[in-house]
Amino acid sequence: MQGEIIIVNVYAPRAIYEKNVLWTNLSNLIASRPGNWIVFGDFNAVKNPEERANSSFCPYIANAFNKFIYVNGLVDLNMGGMRFTYFSDVGCKLSKLDMFIVCANFMSFLLIASVMALPREHSDHFLIILRKNLIDFGPPPFRFFNS
């Protein structure tokens, strides 16, 4: 991989206007500094309705977030372990707010990167880690039946 690797940890605000300011500032930063970008953290936004359960989906926020990802040539890495990364205190509201989004150069260099959600212990969010290879779950189960 050529060039710098630039890692940004995001804790996005909840307010719509402040999110838009963040997306604009990050876009300006990415445009001003060529490199291999890894942006991760709590984005407090989802990309589509399937990333929420028992909570309201805001298409305006999702469209702005998806536009930020697309315009900057970023890709959301697939996540294993859990479908959602945030559970409300009562456990009924679920969302995928935490993720790793990376530049296309990163994807061409490390095709087998994956994100894994770890068990939740002390927070309402699951920890997520970036792995350089996919988890090998072994061969599919196969059995002979003597009948």
Side-chain angles (χ1 to χ4, degrees), residues 11 14 41-44 84-88 95-98 118-128:
Y11 179 64
R14 291 186 178 184
D42 180 356
F43 290 91
N44 271 318
F84 302 106
T85 61
Y86 168 77
F87 284 66
S88 68
S95 299
K96 183 185 177 206
L97 302 178
D98 307 276
L118 300 177
R120 179 173 72 108
E121 293 181 19
H122 303 292
S123 174
D124 53 1
H125 289 260
F126 284 84
L127 296 175
I128 58 172

Side-chain angles (χ1 to χ4, degrees), residues 41-97:
D42 180 356
F43 290 91
N44 271 318
V46 296
K47 298 182 316 250
N48 56 58
E50 291 76 34
E51 293 182 342
R52 284 213 186 264
N54 302 323
S55 61
S56 61
F57 172 74
C58 178
Y60 177 78
I61 292 173
N63 288 337
F65 187 42
N66 287 324
K67 182 179 177 184
F68 161 73
I69 293 170
Y70 176 77
V71 165
N72 292 291
L74 301 171
V75 177
D76 177 19
L77 292 176
N78 290 332
M79 185 178 68
M82 300 290 170
R83 182 173 166 205
F84 302 106
T85 61
Y86 168 77
F87 284 66
S88 68
D89 291 334
V90 293
C92 61
K93 293 184 179 182
L94 314 169
S95 299
K96 183 185 177 206
L97 302 178

Side-chain angles (χ1 to χ4, degrees), residues 9 25 53 147:
N9 184 8
N25 289 341
S147 54

